[in-house]
Amino acid sequence: MNSSVMAIILALCEAVRRGTPLLLGTTGEILNEKSGSLNLGVEGTMAVGAITGALLGLSTSNMFLALLGAFVGGMFCGLIYAFLTITLKANQNVTGLAITIFGGGLCMFVGETLKSTGKFPSYTTEFFAEITGGGIPLLKDIPYIGQLLFSYNALVYIAIVIALIVWIYITKTKSGLRMRAAGENPAAADSVGINVDAERYKNIVIGSGIMGLGGVYMALFINNGLWNTDWINGYGWIAVALVIFSNWSSARAIWGSYVFGLLLALKSRMPSLASAFPSVLSWSTAIPTEVFDALPFIVTMLVLIISSMRKNKNTGCPTGLGLNYFREER
Amino acid sequence: MTKTNKDPLIKISKRQNLALRYKLLLTVGAILLSLVLGGILLACLGYNPVKFYTEMLMGNFKNASYLKLMIRALIPLLITSLGVSLAFKMRFWNIGGEGQFIIGAIIAMTFSLLIGDSLPSPLGAIVVVILGTLGGGLYALFVAVLKVRFNTNETLMTLMLNYVALYIASYMLKTDFFALQGQGVPSFKVIAESLWLTEINIGKFSFDTALFIAVALTIILFVYFRQSKQGYELNVVGDSPNTAKYAGMKVNKIVLRTMFLSGAIIGMAGALKLCGSSAGHTFSANISGGVGWTSIIVAWLAKLNPVGILVASLLMSILERGCSFARTSLGISDAMSDVLQGIILFTVLASDFFINYKVSFRKKVKDAVTAQASGDAADDDKNASVTAVQIDDGIQTDSQTMTQSTDVVSDIPAGESTTDISASENPVEANQERPSADDNNVTEATANDPADETPQPVTEAAETKEEKEAVVENVAPEVVTDTVSSVEEKAATTKKTTAKKADNAAKTSRSKKSDDKKTSSPKSAKSPAKKAATDVKAAASKPSTKKTASSANKTKSTQTKKNGKGGNDNE
């Protein structure tokens, strides 16, 4: 009994751990999309955030600098995206894909180069302790619940707080209203004096910074700061789909990303779950691991299909999504 | 606008059509710029960029074998890019090239192993490639069906299918059917020799038939886009699905067909690579070599033009081969090619802006005249508001002068009075009628000429304005036409009053209207009247010329607006 409960709790913990980068990516993408930009560069933005954050963090052994580096790295990508799509009115889809290719390549290039020359920074022991440890003191010692709720590193909680702040910002504040107006109907927003370009710039850059945080999470907490040729491994794309799943609400994105986190966690947690519940889950051992690898993507497709079949009238999808705004073309 | 007469510092407007050579120049400039940026990045990491780029060229053109490797890398990229461009032309964001390529190869691999060496040499390869082609096509068609039925996001769907295909491919290595398990690391089986593509020798080189298929496909697609009905439909659907619908095209059918073709071509690339020598006649999980991604860059770089795709994929192959050569010689990661590709795409996207838009800076105050002319758009609004005021006046004075003119009419000889009434009712026509009424007097006919010159642009302007009204729902043009007519009416009536004053026959009064330079026969009585007439004329002509300028400007803007709908998709 005890071990089976532990197996479930560990699986859920893993789900939260793996859901967090998704949550950060989704939150960032929501900021992008709500202001009218369909940024497909999440994967690349996360990759750049991962490499800048991880390098800065590992070489200084400072978590704050790691997060800052990741945020700035993400903002850099956001700035490129915003400049190309807003100022230069480039196609949003292609620009996003360009960010993905560039970001993935840059992360790979810098990482490979440093690794091959042996300059890739490695952990100091205290930094490793900071990464693997974490959790809220005292509370995390509560049996089961402490493990489930309070045992994570700070970024997990920061991600939730960011998601909630973004939700409040979008739905409750005046500036959030302005930003939504820029996304829903830029021409109308412009006519009432909202600076559409500035709104979009602002939200793209900040949103991309948040994606960058998701990237450094992938690098430091999922891959334990060890160089790996694909640090992001499709999480960015799942985040783009999660935006649809969560109906453009970052509050709903919280549990949405944990659901997908669970799907991602199944690969590593399924064996222990199967041994804890042999009667129910024994079949799972026969399943090749590739199925678990592909599962999040398959479920994402199902979500996309189902959400498109249900013609939801209360969709949070901004009407101006994906359209560049050129004042002379109103 | 409200405070000062200043134009915005930087004004961006749509450009119609830039000459091809400038487009090419901009694109080439963008690529060069991206290489410079890449060089800066390398320098930041402590490498010598010049050495890197020379190594890169060496890696492609050092000797025949390197060139051959480059061309081998070119083939799948070229075919995949052609396939991707089909979907992109329709604004269908098929970024699943990677998945369709792998699926094509997987299907081809499956049937190759099933067929074995039971079929003779060329036939077996043909069958396998066709099956792989179908596989890729169906894989893409699945997304197209969902798009057509439920409007599912095709970008994400095709992307997710990439990962699914990738994991299927990596699973295949674990199966006995596809791989030799044996001792140590499992490896994929090599397909039967009868299924290999035939090699054709050209001088020193030998290539498989895939090269010729790729080149043929380029030509076929070039013709398909340019000449065929389907290619035309594609363009229309891409520019505006609604237009296509109203034109009676079956948009859904076009989407399904095109997406199938797109996936099929990419699947064929996969099957050809499997059967070709470059992949060693066997499968691998990374058989695609990232062409699905690179093809997106190639297609966009080439502006979806098949010939351009040939050039762009050549460039990208050189880049990739060069980077992988530099990896071995300089120890620089070959991910540099991804970075460079990304930067190239950035700069090319940026250059597109300068192709599609014109950027003009505010001129200095010195050349205020030209600045005013160029900055008409800003002034227009103001004109509109000013003329709006004039209108009100005009209407009032109209009603007054109408009554006046009827009084006047009774005084004036019959023949003239009728024309004058018509003049006050319909000034634009009156301008044209007047000369015919004056035909009997030769001197006047000649004298009329300069006078006619001024009204004519007004009528033209009025006509263009009317056209414009049909196109644009804008208040300003209506206002302008009204004011033109009202001003004209005023002119006509004041002329009449001057005629009365002059106390001469209407003949002379009319000659006065036109006597700017030539006619100077009646002097004493006419001089004040003449002055009044010219004043009026100046008043009438001045705004009218201004308006013709502005209207020309406006028609231009409407054109851009019309074209803009199609044109803005070029971004």
Side-chain angles (χ1 to χ4, degrees), chain A residues 227-257:
Chain A
W227 173 245
N228 176 349
T229 47
D230 33 69
W231 262 352
I232 309 301
N233 196 18
Y235 277 55
W237 289 110
I238 297 178
V240 177
L242 259 174
V243 174
I244 300 169
F245 182 75
S246 58
N247 199 22
W248 288 267
S249 152
S250 57
R252 280 176 69 173
I254 295 175
W255 68 268
S257 33

mmCIF file of all heavy atoms in Angstrom, chain A residues 227-257:
data_model
loop_
_atom_site.group_PDB
_atom_site.id
_atom_site.type_symbol
_atom_site.label_atom_id
_atom_site.label_comp_id
_atom_site.label_asym_id
_atom_site.label_seq_id
_atom_site.Cartn_x
_atom_site.Cartn_y
_atom_site.Cartn_z
ATOM 1 N N TRP A 227 24.962 18.485 -20.831
ATOM 2 C CA TRP A 227 24.740 18.811 -22.236
ATOM 3 C C TRP A 227 24.065 17.646 -22.958
ATOM 4 O O TRP A 227 24.402 16.492 -22.797
ATOM 5 C CB TRP A 227 26.037 19.178 -22.934
ATOM 6 C CG TRP A 227 25.815 19.337 -24.403
ATOM 7 C CD1 TRP A 227 26.324 18.579 -25.395
ATOM 8 C CD2 TRP A 227 24.970 20.304 -25.029
ATOM 9 N NE1 TRP A 227 25.855 19.008 -26.600
ATOM 10 C CE2 TRP A 227 25.021 20.065 -26.403
ATOM 11 C CE3 TRP A 227 24.161 21.360 -24.549
ATOM 12 C CZ2 TRP A 227 24.307 20.822 -27.318
ATOM 13 C CZ3 TRP A 227 23.457 22.108 -25.458
ATOM 14 C CH2 TRP A 227 23.537 21.838 -26.827
ATOM 15 N N ASN A 228 23.098 18.012 -23.750
ATOM 16 C CA ASN A 228 22.280 17.045 -24.451
ATOM 17 C C ASN A 228 21.871 17.716 -25.753
ATOM 18 O O ASN A 228 21.566 18.897 -25.762
ATOM 19 C CB ASN A 228 21.070 16.749 -23.555
ATOM 20 C CG ASN A 228 20.074 15.826 -24.206
ATOM 21 O OD1 ASN A 228 20.148 15.540 -25.391
ATOM 22 N ND2 ASN A 228 19.140 15.373 -23.419
ATOM 23 N N THR A 229 21.925 16.994 -26.837
ATOM 24 C CA THR A 229 21.711 17.670 -28.123
ATOM 25 C C THR A 229 20.303 18.216 -28.286
ATOM 26 O O THR A 229 20.101 19.194 -28.977
ATOM 27 C CB THR A 229 22.034 16.754 -29.309
ATOM 28 O OG1 THR A 229 21.418 15.505 -29.060
ATOM 29 C CG2 THR A 229 23.508 16.617 -29.502
ATOM 30 N N ASP A 230 19.305 17.569 -27.700
ATOM 31 C CA ASP A 230 18.044 18.299 -27.673
ATOM 32 C C ASP A 230 17.512 18.491 -26.268
ATOM 33 O O ASP A 230 16.836 17.639 -25.723
ATOM 34 C CB ASP A 230 16.953 17.760 -28.597
ATOM 35 C CG ASP A 230 16.993 16.267 -28.770
ATOM 36 O OD1 ASP A 230 16.701 15.537 -27.825
ATOM 37 O OD2 ASP A 230 17.329 15.859 -29.829
ATOM 38 N N TRP A 231 17.852 19.632 -25.760
ATOM 39 C CA TRP A 231 17.405 20.015 -24.437
ATOM 40 C C TRP A 231 15.897 20.249 -24.415
ATOM 41 O O TRP A 231 15.234 19.946 -23.435
ATOM 42 C CB TRP A 231 18.129 21.295 -24.014
ATOM 43 C CG TRP A 231 19.301 21.043 -23.139
ATOM 44 C CD1 TRP A 231 19.658 19.850 -22.581
ATOM 45 C CD2 TRP A 231 20.275 21.978 -22.708
ATOM 46 N NE1 TRP A 231 20.792 19.990 -21.838
ATOM 47 C CE2 TRP A 231 21.199 21.292 -21.893
ATOM 48 C CE3 TRP A 231 20.463 23.348 -22.922
ATOM 49 C CZ2 TRP A 231 22.277 21.921 -21.288
ATOM 50 C CZ3 TRP A 231 21.549 23.968 -22.329
ATOM 51 C CH2 TRP A 231 22.448 23.265 -21.517
ATOM 52 N N ILE A 232 15.384 20.805 -25.477
ATOM 53 C CA ILE A 232 13.978 21.217 -25.439
ATOM 54 C C ILE A 232 13.075 20.090 -25.926
ATOM 55 O O ILE A 232 12.005 19.850 -25.356
ATOM 56 C CB ILE A 232 13.751 22.499 -26.273
ATOM 57 C CG1 ILE A 232 14.760 23.572 -25.861
ATOM 58 C CG2 ILE A 232 12.343 23.016 -26.111
ATOM 59 C CD1 ILE A 232 14.715 23.961 -24.409
ATOM 60 N N ASN A 233 13.517 19.392 -26.973
ATOM 61 C CA ASN A 233 12.861 18.151 -27.381
ATOM 62 C C ASN A 233 11.351 18.261 -27.574
ATOM 63 O O ASN A 233 10.592 17.437 -27.070
ATOM 64 C CB ASN A 233 13.181 17.067 -26.333
ATOM 65 C CG ASN A 233 12.886 15.686 -26.867
ATOM 66 O OD1 ASN A 233 12.770 15.516 -28.078
ATOM 67 N ND2 ASN A 233 12.748 14.727 -25.970
ATOM 68 N N GLY A 234 10.921 19.284 -28.278
ATOM 69 C CA GLY A 234 9.499 19.355 -28.620
ATOM 70 C C GLY A 234 8.592 19.946 -27.562
ATOM 71 O O GLY A 234 7.404 20.145 -27.817
ATOM 72 N N TYR A 235 9.136 20.265 -26.388
ATOM 73 C CA TYR A 235 8.296 20.858 -25.342
ATOM 74 C C TYR A 235 7.712 22.197 -25.798
ATOM 75 O O TYR A 235 6.584 22.540 -25.447
ATOM 76 C CB TYR A 235 9.117 21.068 -24.059
ATOM 77 C CG TYR A 235 9.238 19.847 -23.172
ATOM 78 C CD1 TYR A 235 9.728 18.651 -23.669
ATOM 79 C CD2 TYR A 235 8.866 19.896 -21.837
ATOM 80 C CE1 TYR A 235 9.846 17.535 -22.860
ATOM 81 C CE2 TYR A 235 8.979 18.783 -21.015
ATOM 82 C CZ TYR A 235 9.476 17.611 -21.535
ATOM 83 O OH TYR A 235 9.590 16.510 -20.733
ATOM 84 N N GLY A 236 8.503 22.922 -26.563
ATOM 85 C CA GLY A 236 8.028 24.223 -27.036
ATOM 86 C C GLY A 236 6.809 24.088 -27.929
ATOM 87 O O GLY A 236 5.867 24.880 -27.846
ATOM 88 N N TRP A 237 6.821 23.055 -28.756
ATOM 89 C CA TRP A 237 5.680 22.859 -29.646
ATOM 90 C C TRP A 237 4.453 22.416 -28.869
ATOM 91 O O TRP A 237 3.334 22.812 -29.179
ATOM 92 C CB TRP A 237 6.024 21.837 -30.728
ATOM 93 C CG TRP A 237 6.993 22.375 -31.713
ATOM 94 C CD1 TRP A 237 8.292 22.017 -31.872
ATOM 95 C CD2 TRP A 237 6.746 23.389 -32.676
ATOM 96 N NE1 TRP A 237 8.868 22.740 -32.872
ATOM 97 C CE2 TRP A 237 7.949 23.592 -33.385
ATOM 98 C CE3 TRP A 237 5.629 24.159 -33.014
ATOM 99 C CZ2 TRP A 237 8.060 24.528 -34.408
ATOM 100 C CZ3 TRP A 237 5.744 25.078 -34.033
ATOM 101 C CH2 TRP A 237 6.953 25.265 -34.718
ATOM 102 N N ILE A 238 4.677 21.587 -27.862
ATOM 103 C CA ILE A 238 3.531 21.189 -27.037
ATOM 104 C C ILE A 238 2.955 22.420 -26.349
ATOM 105 O O ILE A 238 1.733 22.561 -26.211
ATOM 106 C CB ILE A 238 3.957 20.122 -26.005
ATOM 107 C CG1 ILE A 238 4.423 18.864 -26.726
ATOM 108 C CG2 ILE A 238 2.805 19.777 -25.079
ATOM 109 C CD1 ILE A 238 4.919 17.775 -25.810
ATOM 110 N N ALA A 239 3.844 23.341 -25.958
ATOM 111 C CA ALA A 239 3.366 24.566 -25.317
ATOM 112 C C ALA A 239 2.466 25.356 -26.256
ATOM 113 O O ALA A 239 1.440 25.899 -25.834
ATOM 114 C CB ALA A 239 4.554 25.420 -24.868
ATOM 115 N N VAL A 240 2.836 25.405 -27.532
ATOM 116 C CA VAL A 240 1.992 26.130 -28.493
ATOM 117 C C VAL A 240 0.607 25.491 -28.546
ATOM 118 O O VAL A 240 -0.421 26.176 -28.554
ATOM 119 C CB VAL A 240 2.639 26.133 -29.897
ATOM 120 C CG1 VAL A 240 1.730 26.824 -30.888
ATOM 121 C CG2 VAL A 240 3.981 26.817 -29.866
ATOM 122 N N ALA A 241 0.585 24.163 -28.543
ATOM 123 C CA ALA A 241 -0.706 23.476 -28.587
ATOM 124 C C ALA A 241 -1.468 23.641 -27.275
ATOM 125 O O ALA A 241 -2.692 23.710 -27.259
ATOM 126 C CB ALA A 241 -0.497 21.999 -28.886
ATOM 127 N N LEU A 242 -0.719 23.707 -26.180
ATOM 128 C CA LEU A 242 -1.362 23.869 -24.869
ATOM 129 C C LEU A 242 -2.122 25.188 -24.771
ATOM 130 O O LEU A 242 -3.090 25.290 -24.013
ATOM 131 C CB LEU A 242 -0.302 23.817 -23.768
ATOM 132 C CG LEU A 242 -0.184 22.499 -23.030
ATOM 133 C CD1 LEU A 242 1.001 22.547 -22.091
ATOM 134 C CD2 LEU A 242 -1.453 22.218 -22.250
ATOM 135 N N VAL A 243 -1.674 26.168 -25.507
ATOM 136 C CA VAL A 243 -2.394 27.440 -25.502
ATOM 137 C C VAL A 243 -3.826 27.209 -25.972
ATOM 138 O O VAL A 243 -4.782 27.740 -25.400
ATOM 139 C CB VAL A 243 -1.685 28.468 -26.405
ATOM 140 C CG1 VAL A 243 -2.500 29.738 -26.520
ATOM 141 C CG2 VAL A 243 -0.318 28.787 -25.855
ATOM 142 N N ILE A 244 -3.973 26.402 -27.002
ATOM 143 C CA ILE A 244 -5.308 26.093 -27.504
ATOM 144 C C ILE A 244 -6.062 25.261 -26.461
ATOM 145 O O ILE A 244 -7.228 25.504 -26.168
ATOM 146 C CB ILE A 244 -5.216 25.347 -28.844
ATOM 147 C CG1 ILE A 244 -4.497 26.220 -29.873
ATOM 148 C CG2 ILE A 244 -6.588 24.943 -29.348
ATOM 149 C CD1 ILE A 244 -4.127 25.497 -31.145
ATOM 150 N N PHE A 245 -5.358 24.285 -25.895
ATOM 151 C CA PHE A 245 -5.952 23.404 -24.887
ATOM 152 C C PHE A 245 -6.475 24.213 -23.702
ATOM 153 O O PHE A 245 -7.554 23.946 -23.179
ATOM 154 C CB PHE A 245 -4.895 22.400 -24.423
ATOM 155 C CG PHE A 245 -5.385 21.412 -23.412
ATOM 156 C CD1 PHE A 245 -6.202 20.358 -23.789
ATOM 157 C CD2 PHE A 245 -5.019 21.523 -22.078
ATOM 158 C CE1 PHE A 245 -6.649 19.432 -22.866
ATOM 159 C CE2 PHE A 245 -5.461 20.608 -21.157
ATOM 160 C CZ PHE A 245 -6.278 19.564 -21.547
ATOM 161 N N SER A 246 -5.717 25.210 -23.296
ATOM 162 C CA SER A 246 -6.119 25.996 -22.132
ATOM 163 C C SER A 246 -6.991 27.186 -22.513
ATOM 164 O O SER A 246 -7.287 28.031 -21.670
ATOM 165 C CB SER A 246 -4.889 26.484 -21.379
ATOM 166 O OG SER A 246 -4.085 27.252 -22.232
ATOM 167 N N ASN A 247 -7.400 27.217 -23.760
ATOM 168 C CA ASN A 247 -8.310 28.252 -24.225
ATOM 169 C C ASN A 247 -7.786 29.672 -23.928
ATOM 170 O O ASN A 247 -8.514 30.547 -23.487
ATOM 171 C CB ASN A 247 -9.703 28.048 -23.624
ATOM 172 C CG ASN A 247 -10.761 28.785 -24.401
ATOM 173 O OD1 ASN A 247 -10.565 29.107 -25.574
ATOM 174 N ND2 ASN A 247 -11.868 29.084 -23.757
ATOM 175 N N TRP A 248 -6.516 29.867 -24.144
ATOM 176 C CA TRP A 248 -5.870 31.178 -23.999
ATOM 177 C C TRP A 248 -6.021 31.760 -22.587
ATOM 178 O O TRP A 248 -6.086 32.962 -22.421
ATOM 179 C CB TRP A 248 -6.400 32.159 -25.040
ATOM 180 C CG TRP A 248 -5.917 31.842 -26.412
ATOM 181 C CD1 TRP A 248 -4.815 32.365 -27.015
ATOM 182 C CD2 TRP A 248 -6.473 30.933 -27.353
ATOM 183 N NE1 TRP A 248 -4.661 31.819 -28.256
ATOM 184 C CE2 TRP A 248 -5.662 30.954 -28.499
ATOM 185 C CE3 TRP A 248 -7.589 30.076 -27.344
ATOM 186 C CZ2 TRP A 248 -5.916 30.152 -29.609
ATOM 187 C CZ3 TRP A 248 -7.846 29.292 -28.461
ATOM 188 C CH2 TRP A 248 -7.018 29.345 -29.574
ATOM 189 N N SER A 249 -6.109 30.882 -21.599
ATOM 190 C CA SER A 249 -6.146 31.370 -20.228
ATOM 191 C C SER A 249 -4.985 30.748 -19.472
ATOM 192 O O SER A 249 -4.864 29.523 -19.406
ATOM 193 C CB SER A 249 -7.472 30.975 -19.580
ATOM 194 O OG SER A 249 -7.300 30.841 -18.193
ATOM 195 N N SER A 250 -4.122 31.603 -18.937
ATOM 196 C CA SER A 250 -2.935 31.050 -18.290
ATOM 197 C C SER A 250 -3.284 30.373 -16.973
ATOM 198 O O SER A 250 -2.518 29.559 -16.473
ATOM 199 C CB SER A 250 -1.882 32.142 -18.079
ATOM 200 O OG SER A 250 -2.421 33.197 -17.331
ATOM 201 N N ALA A 251 -4.448 30.680 -16.391
ATOM 202 C CA ALA A 251 -4.862 29.960 -15.178
ATOM 203 C C ALA A 251 -5.218 28.512 -15.530
ATOM 204 O O ALA A 251 -4.847 27.574 -14.826
ATOM 205 C CB ALA A 251 -6.057 30.666 -14.532
ATOM 206 N N ARG A 252 -5.929 28.363 -16.638
ATOM 207 C CA ARG A 252 -6.246 27.003 -17.077
ATOM 208 C C ARG A 252 -5.014 26.270 -17.567
ATOM 209 O O ARG A 252 -4.956 25.042 -17.546
ATOM 210 C CB ARG A 252 -7.299 27.044 -18.187
ATOM 211 C CG ARG A 252 -8.692 27.229 -17.645
ATOM 212 C CD ARG A 252 -9.691 27.368 -18.756
ATOM 213 N NE ARG A 252 -9.877 26.117 -19.498
ATOM 214 C CZ ARG A 252 -10.801 25.978 -20.433
ATOM 215 N NH1 ARG A 252 -11.602 26.957 -20.729
ATOM 216 N NH2 ARG A 252 -10.923 24.837 -21.078
ATOM 217 N N ALA A 253 -4.035 27.054 -18.013
ATOM 218 C CA ALA A 253 -2.796 26.430 -18.501
ATOM 219 C C ALA A 253 -2.079 25.699 -17.379
ATOM 220 O O ALA A 253 -1.328 24.760 -17.632
ATOM 221 C CB ALA A 253 -1.891 27.488 -19.107
ATOM 222 N N ILE A 254 -2.317 26.103 -16.119
ATOM 223 C CA ILE A 254 -1.594 25.477 -15.008
ATOM 224 C C ILE A 254 -1.907 23.988 -14.967
ATOM 225 O O ILE A 254 -1.011 23.147 -15.039
ATOM 226 C CB ILE A 254 -1.956 26.158 -13.667
ATOM 227 C CG1 ILE A 254 -1.476 27.616 -13.685
ATOM 228 C CG2 ILE A 254 -1.295 25.420 -12.509
ATOM 229 C CD1 ILE A 254 -1.875 28.408 -12.466
ATOM 230 N N TRP A 255 -3.200 23.670 -14.882
ATOM 231 C CA TRP A 255 -3.479 22.232 -14.804
ATOM 232 C C TRP A 255 -3.304 21.552 -16.156
ATOM 233 O O TRP A 255 -2.926 20.389 -16.228
ATOM 234 C CB TRP A 255 -4.850 21.963 -14.180
ATOM 235 C CG TRP A 255 -6.051 22.372 -14.997
ATOM 236 C CD1 TRP A 255 -6.716 23.556 -14.950
ATOM 237 C CD2 TRP A 255 -6.725 21.576 -15.973
ATOM 238 N NE1 TRP A 255 -7.747 23.554 -15.842
ATOM 239 C CE2 TRP A 255 -7.782 22.358 -16.471
ATOM 240 C CE3 TRP A 255 -6.547 20.281 -16.478
ATOM 241 C CZ2 TRP A 255 -8.656 21.880 -17.452
ATOM 242 C CZ3 TRP A 255 -7.413 19.824 -17.455
ATOM 243 C CH2 TRP A 255 -8.452 20.612 -17.927
ATOM 244 N N GLY A 256 -3.517 22.319 -17.226
ATOM 245 C CA GLY A 256 -3.288 21.745 -18.552
ATOM 246 C C GLY A 256 -1.858 21.274 -18.716
ATOM 247 O O GLY A 256 -1.596 20.177 -19.223
ATOM 248 N N SER A 257 -0.927 22.097 -18.253
ATOM 249 C CA SER A 257 0.461 21.684 -18.436
ATOM 250 C C SER A 257 0.825 20.529 -17.508
ATOM 251 O O SER A 257 1.673 19.709 -17.858
ATOM 252 C CB SER A 257 1.421 22.855 -18.263
ATOM 253 O OG SER A 257 0.956 23.755 -17.316
#
